[in-house]
Amino acid sequence: MLARATDEDLASLGGVSTAYPSTIAAGVEQEIVITKSRFITTVAPVSGVADADRVIAEVRRRRWDARHNCTAMVTGVLGDQARSNDDGEPSGTAGVPMLEVLRRRELTDVVAIVTRYFGGVKLGAGGLVRAYSTSVSEALDRATLVRRRALTRVTVDVPHADAGRIDNVLRDWVGHHGAVLGDPAYGAAATFELWVPGDGVEPLRADLAAASAGALDPVAGEERVVDVPID
């Protein structure tokens, strides 16, 4: 679980309910062969433009002998930043079709690099568009999606003697309420962290009170845009 957006990011959205683009959990590589040309696609989650540029540079170093390393990226909590590069292919036949796939999948904080080893047969503009878009699409089919939601941070301090039982209660609770359980911290008490939908804070408070005879009182904190793995 990773909080991607800051409080300032949320404030800039005006406090309205927003559907956020998803991202991917981990990088994926996929290769297809079309009319003797090899198309090797790398898709990877990134934290921003600089991170995407780092991934692109690493792929280009590894595949320096390829004819083309075409790229597309979408970044930003709302997916409002985008770039693409044809890397020597005819204008509009590689980077833009790749970018359109990312847009259609409603993804952000992701970069795609398609490496082409030319097989000696020209594909034409239409063939190139299909090849590059298909390459990215098939790679994304293998990726694990991560959705994003605006969730509220809630913490609850639990006596060590009750920590195991409450841990089980919370794990069951988050599975039924669209919430995420963070890593506990252990000090004078066991502190559990949850990321909860706004309308789930009061139900959580009530359920914990019932589970502890009123002894536990969770504390609600800031709201963040949080990565939530899709089952």
Side-chain angles (χ1 to χ4, degrees), residues 28-175:
V28 171
E29 251 186 33
Q30 166 81 6
E31 178 175 345
I32 61 175
V33 177
I34 300 175
T35 318
K36 298 184 179 181
S37 282
R38 295 171 61 206
F39 292 85
I40 306 171
T41 301
T42 302
V43 293
V46 294
S47 59
V49 173
D51 195 27
D53 286 340
R54 177 192 60 78
V55 175
I56 292 169
E58 195 277 330
V59 171
R60 285 178 170 163
R61 279 194 298 272
R62 286 193 289 117
R63 303 209 170 105
W64 58 270
D65 56 338
R67 178 74 66 91
H68 307 283
N69 283 290
C70 304
T71 64
M73 71 175 76
V74 180
T75 57
V77 67
L78 292 178
D80 52 355
Q81 302 171 58
R83 282 178 17 192
S84 64
N85 189 312
D86 294 312
D87 195 35
E89 293 282 28
S91 179
T93 63
V96 169
M98 293 166 59
L99 183 59
E100 284 304 306
V101 174
L102 301 181
R103 290 294 200 195
R104 286 198 304 270
R105 298 288 183 111
E106 297 182 334
L107 296 174
T108 191
D109 286 340
V110 62
V111 63
I113 306 100
V114 178
T115 301
R116 182 188 183 191
Y117 287 93
F118 183 55
V121 179
K122 293 184 178 181
L123 301 181
L128 288 172
V129 169
R130 287 189 295 273
Y132 281 98
S133 60
T134 298
S135 296
V136 175
S137 184
E138 290 193 7
L140 290 173
D141 286 343
R142 299 178 56 194
T144 299
L145 289 181
V146 177
R147 69 178 182 270
R148 287 176 169 173
R149 299 183 63 188
L151 301 178
T152 299
R153 183 176 184 263
V154 177
T155 58
V156 57
D157 290 335
V158 179
H160 289 289
D162 296 325
R165 182 176 64 84
I166 296 301
D167 180 69
N168 290 333
V169 170
L170 294 176
R171 289 182 185 279
D172 180 70
W173 193 92
V174 299

